[in-house]
Amino acid sequence: MRGLAVFPEAREVRLVEQPEPLPVTGTQVLLRILEVGICGTDREIGAFTYGTPPPGSDHLILGHEALAEVAETGPDVTLVRPGDLVVPTVRRPCPHARCRACRAERQDFCVTGDFRERGIKEAHGFLQEWTVEDEAYLVVVPRELSDVAVLIEPLTVAAKAAEQAQAVQERLPWERTRIRALVLGAGPVGILGAMSMVVKRYDTFVYSLESAASERAALIRALGASYICGQDVSLRDLEPFDVIYEAVGISSVAFAAFTALDSNGLFIFTGIPGHGAANPINTDALMRDIVLKNQLILGTVNASRSAYELAISELEQAMFLFPQSVRALITRRSTLEESPRLVTEHGGIKQVVKLANGRAP
Ligand SMILES: [Zn+2]
Ligand SMILES: [Zn+2]
């Protein structure tokens, strides 16, 4: 069977022939991969700045945003059945007894860093025709979502942030009637973040540099959020926000937006900036604000099973409210043969590789 591989030593990205999977045993599940989304992480791995092959392998099969169909189940599988649509989670726990997060099945909070991530770190990904996974790492998806379910994994970024926001803002013991949320950046993470906030009935604004007349701005408005063009409006001129959700990955832009955070507000970082030059920042002003305004800063990475389940429910609600706009987030579907190019080229909102059609086994 074929897959898309990155060879970090040889600095190559190409299709490879992988061994056919062995018959499944125990709680293993054989998955027919239907679709895989491509994101900035894949492009960084494809540029050899990131990503680690499994031990002993010279290559890493890419792909962590997958939609698959259960083809066969091992004798001890109880959670999924052949024909089920599933999204596999990405991170696998570290082996250390002292990591209480991983032992509690919350490897998204792993403290040792010795976790593996499919398609990213020491485990092959899903951009191949078949794969085997333990049932513990599969989340069943309703059939009605099949044409957009490849968005579930990227939507878990916002879903985990939402879970964390809910937990930490319980510190405010009164009911808040109208939450104003600002999303920084109109890339896939930002747009999906905005969609997630709209379905939670937040008053949602997206701030980015694209023109207010751009297709992207129109799509954001069609998803129920307001679009603010950073070229026309300064953050200082906006009414302050209860939540700011950073999805630009540029620290200077993110910290500049702190002035737009209200008292008791929550600032959520999701981006991972490169190692650039140091940026000057007025630490006195920042610290004074955080203390005098009871503000919180939260970073979030990866996602637990509960975040996948929340992402599925948010996607269902978004498909009820604006199905055409949700579908429009997938700007291109390519074949596996075309996939090496997707990893090196930018373009569109979400690019998806289509490997197979779902069908009863
Ligand atoms: Zn991704
Ligand atoms: Zn761990």
Side-chain angles (χ1 to χ4, degrees):
M1 67 164 176
R2 291 164 314 154
L4 178 63
V6 173
F7 292 77
E9 289 284 314
R11 297 178 81 81
E12 281 180 352
V13 181
R14 59 177 164 90
L15 294 181
V16 289
E17 206 44 56
Q18 286 286 103
E20 296 294 326
L22 298 170
V24 286
T25 60
T27 52
Q28 286 180 332
V29 176
L30 176 66
L31 299 176
R32 174 189 292 120
I33 304 293
L34 305 180
E35 293 189 331
V36 178
I38 302 290
C39 75
T41 300
D42 299 303
R43 296 197 179 93
E44 282 177 18
I45 298 170
F48 319 109
T49 56
Y50 203 62
T52 317
S57 170
D58 61 352
H59 66 280
L60 172 72
I61 297 287
L62 271 175
H64 57 275
E65 302 181 357
L67 172 66
E69 188 176 63
V70 174
E72 281 175 39
T73 52
D76 302 327
V77 168
T78 58
L79 303 175
V80 297
R81 282 188 293 194
D84 279 354
L85 273 189
V86 293
V87 169
T89 63
V90 177
R91 189 177 283 188
R92 303 293 169 263
C94 78
H96 308 293
R98 69 183 166 87
C99 183
R100 296 174 68 184
C102 285
R103 303 291 71 77
E105 297 177 18
R106 286 305 300 262
Q107 49 269 23
D108 55 318
F109 284 111
C110 178
V111 297
T112 69
D114 288 339
F115 54 79
R116 290 172 302 123
E117 288 179 332
R118 294 207 57 172
I120 301 173
K121 184 175 180 284
E122 296 165 17
H124 284 317
F126 304 117
L127 240 172
Q128 51 184 334
E129 290 167 289
W130 301 90
T131 196
V132 171
E133 187 51 272
D134 193 280
E135 65 170 343
Y137 304 119
L138 301 177
V139 184
V140 176
V141 177
R143 278 269 158 197
E144 303 75 65
L145 290 182
S146 60
D147 60 339
V148 290
V150 72
L151 297 172
I152 290 169
E153 195 284 337
L155 189 55
T156 62
V157 179
K160 178 174 173 184
E163 283 183 338
Q164 298 302 300
Q166 171 102 35
V168 298
Q169 292 301 63
E170 274 178 18
R171 70 192 178 126
L172 309 177
W174 55 89
E175 198 181 339
R176 291 185 296 162
T177 46
R178 178 171 162 270
I179 294 175
R180 276 171 58 83
L182 178 70
V183 175
L184 294 174
V189 177
I191 297 177
L192 288 169
M195 188 179 93
S196 155
M197 289 174 183
V198 168
V199 301
K200 282 193 280 291
R201 310 206 192 299
Y202 290 5
D203 220 345
T204 306
F205 297 78
V206 176
Y207 187 89
S208 190
L209 285 180
E210 287 87 356
S211 146
S214 65
E215 258 179 61
R216 210 170 271 233
L219 182 57
I220 286 163
R221 287 190 289 265
L223 285 166
S226 303
Y227 183 78
I228 306 167
C229 172
Q231 299 182 51
D232 305 337
V233 184
S234 158
L235 284 168
R236 290 180 181 279
D237 298 333
L238 300 173
E239 270 196 40
F241 296 90
D242 302 297
V243 178
I244 298 182
Y245 182 80
E246 176 279 325
V248 283
I250 302 167
S251 60
S252 54
V253 175
F255 278 92
F258 250 96
T259 54
L261 188 65
D262 207 350
S263 293
N264 309 331
L266 172 64
F267 198 109
I268 303 170
F269 284 110
T270 74
I272 304 171
H275 297 281
N279 294 302
I281 160 173
N282 184 338
T283 51
D284 287 342
L286 185 67
M287 185 167 163
R288 200 180 310 124
D289 265 2
I290 292 172
V291 171
L292 295 177
K293 297 182 182 173
N294 290 295
Q295 292 170 331
L296 270 178
I297 302 175
L298 178 91
T300 175
V301 70
N302 197 255
S304 66
R305 168 177 281 273
S306 62
Y308 279 77
E309 277 154 9
L310 179 58
I312 290 170
S313 117
E314 289 181 350
L315 192 58
E316 280 178 320
Q317 292 173 66
M319 282 297 279
F320 176 75
L321 293 168
F322 12 69
Q324 292 316 318
S325 306
V326 178
R327 289 195 182 98
L329 295 174
I330 299 173
T331 38
R332 185 171 161 193
R333 281 187 161 89
S334 306
T335 61
L336 184 58
E337 287 69 28
E338 296 168 314
S339 64
R341 250 190 317 142
L342 294 192
V343 175
T344 50
E345 283 172 13
H346 272 268
I349 298 171
K350 179 53 72 180
Q351 312 238 31
V352 169
V353 182
K354 195 168 180 62
L355 290 109
N357 290 313
R359 54 190 182 272

